[in-house]
């Protein structure tokens, strides 16, 4: 898997000693398979020294592609070595996908992912932009033209890759009183950074450095694949449920501001995007769903945005903090169970009762 800049070093393979060439200043080690066959494995370069999340993830991703499957990684800043490699990421000062050069540090670089995103790409984003759909299709055993591949391609970028791009490029997540520019749900960038050798570690050798980089690739790559599978197995089905329920909203109430989930799911991840996609002008105020444990029916006020606690229209103030018969008496609706002190959620013993609470809240 690996090649790395360093001093000449003897390696043992099948009781034979192999020497690295002093001229190219790198040697093979670790999981590499040595072969005398004429078809050599592809080699992908990145820089040596301190590493970041973007090139660790980029190196992991490129080795999943058909073109560079299980390629050897060459860590060096020697431009003569880099020039002769099959692909180069995060070093070299060149972005040229036709030559598989994916650096983002050069003057004038302004590549973004597209699809409505404006964050400047890192080496991870560049690799994902060109190979992400292929990787997703392969991982999920789908045709790359399958519509779910495109939807997951965008979702995984938004919820996983974009934060890597933004942090590597030093882009703040927030402006005052503005929604976040990107989602940082993993803090992966910082966890990868902590894998770099500590300055007090007496062993600062290339071997130790590259073992740490291997760990960084494994960490970033495993979470990248977890993100793909989460979005395919959980995120996408939930989105379909929310889409169907929003489309049927006028069957629930003539206002179009109440939806009922046919199955309990993480609807908050989708409602804002689906509203925009369906061009819904009158936004949803309440979501009703059955509690799987208690079998009560809950009604939840939709927040003003995914990252805010404030509700678009909280449940009525006189109801808040009340429970049971007292709440039913104040609301004039039988079967009430509770309403939270902040008014963002409540419950009723029946579907009809929960719907009545939602309709009364709209008029309050």
């Amino acid at each position: 898997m690996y090649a790395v800049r360093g001093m000449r070093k003897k390696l043992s393979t099948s009781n034979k000693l192999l020497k690295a060439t002093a001229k190219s200043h790198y040697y093979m080690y670790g999981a590499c398979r040595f072969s005398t066959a004429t078809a050599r494995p592809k080699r992908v370069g990145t820089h040596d020294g301190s590493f970041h999340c973007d090139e660790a993830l980029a190196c992991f991703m490129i080795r999943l592609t058909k073109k560079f499957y299980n390629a050897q990684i060459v860590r060096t800043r020697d431009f003569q070595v880099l020039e002769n490699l099959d692909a180069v990421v995060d070093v070299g000062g060149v972005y040229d996908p036709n030559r598989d050069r994916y650096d983002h540090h050069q003057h004038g670089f302004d590549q973004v992912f597209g699809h409505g995103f404006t964050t400047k790409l890192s080496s991870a984003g560049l690799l994902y932009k060109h190979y992400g759909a292929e990787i997703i299709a392969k991982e999920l055993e789908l045709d790359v033209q399958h519509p779910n591949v495109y939807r997951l391609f965008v979702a995984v970028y938004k919820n996983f890759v974009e934060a890597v791009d933004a942090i590597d490029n030093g882009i703040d997540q927030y402006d005052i009183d503005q929604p976040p520019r990107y989602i940082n749900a993993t803090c992966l960038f910082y966890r990868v950074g902590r894998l770099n050798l500590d300055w007090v570690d007496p062993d600062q050798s290339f071997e130790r450095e590259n073992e740490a980089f291997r760990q960084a690739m494994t960490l970033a790559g495993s979470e990248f694949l977890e993100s793909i599978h989460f979005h395919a197995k959980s995120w996408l089905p939930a989105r379909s449920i929310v889409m169907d329920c929003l489309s049927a909203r006028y069957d629930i109430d003539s206002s179009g501001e109440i939806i009922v989930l046919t199955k309990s799911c993480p609807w908050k991840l989708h409602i804002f995007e689906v509203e925009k996609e369906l061009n819904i002008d009158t936004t949803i105020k309440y979501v009703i769903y059955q509690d799987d444990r208690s079998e009560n029916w809950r009604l939840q006020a939709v927040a003003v945005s995914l990252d805010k606690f404030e509700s678009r229209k909280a449940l009525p103030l006189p109801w808040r903090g009340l429970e049971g018969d007292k709440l039913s008496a104040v609301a004039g609706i039988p079967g009430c169970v509770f309403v939270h002190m902040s008014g963002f959620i409540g419950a009723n013993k029946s579907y009809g009762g929960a719907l009545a609470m939602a309709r009364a809240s709209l008029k309050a």
Side-chain angles (χ1 to χ4, degrees), residues 57 155-165 183 186 188 219-225 227 231:
L57 179 56
V156 171
Y157 183 77
K158 177 180 179 180
N159 294 296
F160 188 87
V161 180
E162 187 180 20
V164 177
D165 288 339
I183 296 170
T186 68
L188 180 63
L219 174 61
S222 63
E223 295 197 14
F224 169 67
L225 294 179
S227 181
H231 283 87

Side-chain angles (χ1 to χ4, degrees), residues 74-150:
V74 179
R75 299 190 67 234
T76 182
R77 293 184 185 273
D78 187 324
F79 280 88
Q80 290 184 339
V81 174
L82 293 170
E83 184 64 28
N84 292 312
L85 300 179
D86 300 291
V88 177
V89 301
D90 208 45
V91 69
V94 176
Y95 168 57
D96 183 355
N98 294 322
R99 296 172 50 219
D100 287 299
R101 264 49 186 173
Y102 302 102
D103 197 11
H104 67 109
H105 297 98
Q106 59 273 23
H107 178 72
F109 178 87
D110 59 359
Q111 289 291 311
V112 298
F113 183 64
H115 311 283
F117 296 90
T118 59
T119 299
K120 189 166 75 169
L121 300 181
S122 68
S123 62
L126 285 173
L127 257 296
Y128 187 79
K129 180 177 182 176
H130 290 282
Y131 290 106
E134 175 194 332
I135 293 169
I136 290 170
K138 178 182 177 182
E139 187 68 18
L140 301 179
E141 298 181 350
L142 295 173
D143 187 275
V144 74
Q145 299 300 324
H146 193 288
N148 283 351
V149 171
Y150 170 77

Side-chain angles (χ1 to χ4, degrees), residues 322-337:
L322 300 182
E323 298 180 0
D325 292 341
K326 187 173 183 179
L327 174 58
S328 292
V330 172
I333 299 170
C336 291
V337 178

